[in-house]
């Protein structure tokens, strides 16, 4: 899968996670094993894609195919991982969640814009 496709897919996941955050109730018991397994099952493909995306995006930055700073790639992955957990456990204020969301979205959009210019 090309880097632009990976980024688009992560953008879709980002929107889905935001909808989940906006429309879900916090779990009644944070230590519920069934809930943990559900979260693990639903987020595993996102974590896998995020890992691949980070490697590919970092390589693109090194090859100067994308005008994004290497630290932005690493921070975006970390922020997306935080956002994943906050989307399920609803354990952060809305303002902080939106800050993470906006930051991730900015880097994804910037990366997509610079990749399109290359093609």
């Amino acid at each position: 899968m090309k880097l632009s496709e990976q980024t688009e897919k992560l953008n879709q996941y980002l929107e889905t996670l935001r909808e989940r955050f906006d429309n879900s109730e916090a779990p009644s018991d944070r230590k519920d094993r069934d809930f943990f397994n559900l979260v693990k099952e639903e987020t595993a493909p996102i974590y896998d894609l995020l890992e691949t995306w980070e490697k590919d995006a970092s390589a693109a930055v090194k090859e100067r195919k994308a005008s994004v700073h290497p630290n932005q790639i690493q921070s975006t992955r970390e922020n997306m991982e935080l956002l994943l957990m906050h989307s399920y456990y609803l354990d952060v204020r809305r303002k902080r969640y939106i800050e993470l969301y906006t930051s991730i979205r900015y880097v994804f959009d910037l990366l997509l814009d610079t990749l399109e210019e290359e093609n």
Side-chain angles (χ1 to χ4, degrees):
M1 185 182 302
K2 292 183 352 185
L3 180 56
S4 57
E5 293 170 353
Q6 292 171 2
T7 308
E8 286 289 347
K9 186 74 172 160
L10 285 170
N11 248 338
Q12 292 170 2
Y13 282 134
L14 188 62
E15 288 305 313
T16 304
L17 291 168
R18 182 170 176 185
E19 287 175 22
R20 180 176 191 84
F21 181 82
D22 288 340
N23 300 321
S24 297
E25 295 291 321
S28 55
D29 179 13
R30 294 182 185 276
K31 296 179 181 175
D32 180 17
R33 191 81 177 141
D34 292 335
F35 183 73
F36 172 80
N37 287 330
L38 170 80
V39 171
K40 186 175 177 183
E41 182 181 313
E42 289 184 6
T43 60
I46 304 172
Y47 277 112
D48 293 342
L49 179 58
L50 203 51
E51 184 178 346
T52 305
W53 174 84
E54 183 184 29
K55 289 176 189 169
D56 293 349
S58 294
V61 169
K62 284 180 185 170
E63 296 169 10
R64 303 210 187 280
K65 291 182 179 176
S67 58
V68 178
H69 198 275
N71 287 347
Q72 286 177 297
I73 301 297
Q74 183 181 358
S75 294
T76 300
R77 178 183 178 177
E78 292 167 2
N79 288 343
M80 185 76 170
E81 289 173 349
L82 283 171
L83 192 110
L84 269 163
M85 289 299 102
H86 294 322
S87 296
Y88 283 87
Y89 287 96
L90 308 179
D91 56 356
V92 69
R93 292 178 189 247
R94 180 168 180 74
K95 182 180 181 203
R96 175 68 178 138
Y97 187 91
I98 296 301
E99 288 170 355
L100 285 169
Y101 171 87
T102 304
S103 173
I104 295 165
R105 191 65 189 237
Y106 173 78
V107 174
F108 284 166
D109 290 345
L110 185 63
L111 189 61
L112 286 170
D113 289 347
T114 59
L115 287 172
E116 287 173 6
E117 290 171 9
E118 289 289 319
N119 294 333

